[in-house]
């Protein structure tokens, strides 16, 4: 028996009803904020993520699906979308045409992580990137957009954490001070943190290991290293969020797992999903354009983990949702009615109704049972009498009410129901 690849899953039935609703919200709210959809290929050159996300991050170091294709090119199934969007913006000189370019996207991503609830090897993100503005208004716009999407999709309980990483060179100075401090305490750190100390020391601050907490809590604070411009920027972002009534807490230890950030970083979290508590992550990434080889440009964005949002909706829902059901099920009574019923179904579909017919040549009783199973709103039956008089017997499956009407009145009857 061949099964799905570990960490990947099939999606179908009722779960997809939630996805479709969420996708509608992505489309609508993005447009309300003036963001345009962008689609990039699922495969990119491995080099893009090495340079953009950073060689020493978990994503690039341990989690990418990378391979050499038949032409000898090193390719990777995209593990995130920000580097591809910036690659595309450089390639198509988007900022030359529009000095502030607002982009949204949704699609599958791949990371070879250890699968657990809310963590998959193929997962999906909705995200938005605001390219071209260095000002706090754009950080705030992005956070307000993420907040609005989560609210409108129907997530009820979540909180927002905010931090600033300051200017890129501040981080370099701070990193040196942090490494010095952590090296003094190396023997007390968890194995994971010792490894990170060598590769990506700022991530030690993120550690969830109990053993690391006292050391991390007493570590030098990045906030003591910020210059005046960084502080002003962060205050500007906070002032807009305050005015907009968006609650948040400042978490001085949040550094995020990707190398391209500077200044504002943020995460939306939930307490309803166990350890996979981040439903959205983002921040400002002014260094990224230059890392990928473009002209310097400021930018800020976020990505929401759709799979996690779907789990949340399911957990918060009282009653299960049902999958889609047809407006009408057309029953053919006898061989002669089969083709006319197919044609009638086609006519109704062209008018925008969902119409289903029997494909197993069932008895009348069997067809009514099938209509019931599919939760059809109406059935319309056609036998010899109805064929002769161009009528149908229309039945409202909820009330049981039944009447004979001309076939030409069907659309009207379905619309007024
Ligand atoms: P990220 O924090 O790596 O950021 O991912 C964003 C969100 O994707 C997470 O908060 C989580 O909800 C979801 N996610 C990540 N990995 C998985 C997984 N294995 N299974 C299920 N869900 C997952 C980024 O990807 C950045 N590109 C965000 C960004 C956009 N920064 C600036 N612009």
């Amino acid at each position: 028996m061949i099964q799905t690849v570990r960490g990947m899953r099939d999606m179908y039935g009722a779960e997809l009803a939630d996805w479709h609703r969420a996708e509608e919200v992505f489309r609508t709210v993005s447009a309300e904020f003036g963001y345009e959809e962008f689609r990039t290929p699922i495969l990119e050159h491995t080099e893009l993520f090495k340079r953009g996300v950073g060689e020493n991050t978990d994503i690039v170091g341990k989690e990418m699906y990378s391979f050499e294709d038949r032409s000898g090119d090193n390719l990777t199934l995209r593990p995130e979308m920000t580097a591809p969007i910036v690659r595309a913006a450089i390639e198509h000189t988007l900022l030359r045409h529009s000095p502030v370019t607002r982009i949204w996207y949704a699609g599958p991503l791949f990371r070879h992580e250890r699968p657990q609830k809310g963590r998959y090897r193929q997962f999906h993100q909705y995200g938005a990137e605001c390219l071209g503005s260095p000002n706090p208004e754009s950080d705030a716009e992005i956070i307000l957009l993420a907040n609005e999407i989560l609210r409108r999709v129907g997530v009820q309980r979540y909180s927002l954490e905010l931090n600033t990483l300051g200017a890129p060179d501040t981080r370099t100075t701070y990193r040196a001070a942090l490494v010095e401090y952590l090296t003094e305490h190396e023997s007390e750190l968890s194995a994971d943190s010792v490894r990170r100390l060598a590769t990506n020391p700022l991530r030690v601050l993120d550690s969830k290991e109990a053993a690391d907490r006292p050391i991390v809590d007493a570590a030098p604070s990045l906030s003591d290293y910020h210059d005046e411009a960084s502080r002003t920027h962060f205050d500007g972002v906070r002032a807009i969020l305050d005015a907009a009534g968006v609650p948040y807490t400042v978490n001085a230890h949040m550094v995020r797992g990707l190398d391209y950030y500077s200044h504002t970083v943020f995460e939306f979290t939930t307490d309803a999903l166990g350890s996979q508590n981040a439903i959205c992550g983002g921040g400002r990434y002014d260094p990224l354009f230059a890392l990928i080889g473009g002209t310097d440009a400021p930018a800020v964005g976020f990505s929401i983990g759709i799979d996690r949002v779907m789990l949340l909706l399911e957990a918060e829902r009282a009653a299960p949702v049902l999958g889609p059901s047809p407006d009408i099920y057309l029953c053919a009574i006898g061989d002669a009615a089969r083709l006319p019923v197919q044609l009638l179904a086609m006519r109704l579909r062209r008018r925008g109704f969902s119409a289903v017919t029997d494909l197993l040549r069932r008895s009348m009783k069997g067809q009514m049972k099938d209509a019931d199973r599919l939760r059809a709103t109406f059935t319309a039956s056609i036998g010899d009498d109805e064929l002769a008089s161009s009528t149908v017997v229309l039945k409202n499956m909820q009330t049981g009410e039944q009447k004979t009407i001309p076939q030409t009145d069907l659309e009207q009857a379905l619309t007024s129901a």
Side-chain angles (χ1 to χ4, degrees), residues 80 82 111 113 118 120 125 129 256 260-261 278 301-303:
E80 65 102 49
T82 309
R111 294 183 192 173
E113 296 188 79
Y120 310 101
Q125 287 180 346
E129 313 291 348
R256 306 265 309 130
Y260 48 58
Y261 292 115
F302 69 86
S303 313

Side-chain angles (χ1 to χ4, degrees), residues 59 79-82 105 111 113 118-121 123 125 128-129 256 258 260-261 267 278-283 285 300-305 307-308:
I59 295 179
E80 65 102 49
M81 278 294 291
T82 309
Y105 51 82
R111 294 183 192 173
E113 296 188 79
R119 189 162 71 195
Y120 310 101
R121 288 180 175 174
F123 63 101
Q125 287 180 346
E129 313 291 348
R256 306 265 309 130
L258 304 92
Y260 48 58
Y261 292 115
E267 258 173 14
I279 47 175
C280 171
Y285 50 92
V300 55
F302 69 86
S303 313
I304 290 175
D307 311 78
R308 291 187 190 170

Side-chain angles (χ1 to χ4, degrees), residues 193-238:
S193 290
V194 171
R195 186 180 55 78
R196 286 199 166 125
L197 172 56
T199 56
N200 199 355
L202 259 61
R203 284 307 300 282
V204 176
L205 298 177
D206 263 348
S207 168
K208 294 187 176 91
E209 298 278 341
D212 295 333
R213 286 323 310 171
I215 303 157
V216 166
D217 288 341
S221 175
L222 177 57
S223 55
D224 295 335
Y225 289 73
H226 292 321
D227 57 26
E228 201 47 41
S230 301
R231 279 184 227 279
T232 310
H233 182 89
F234 195 48
D235 289 346
V237 177
R238 294 179 57 178

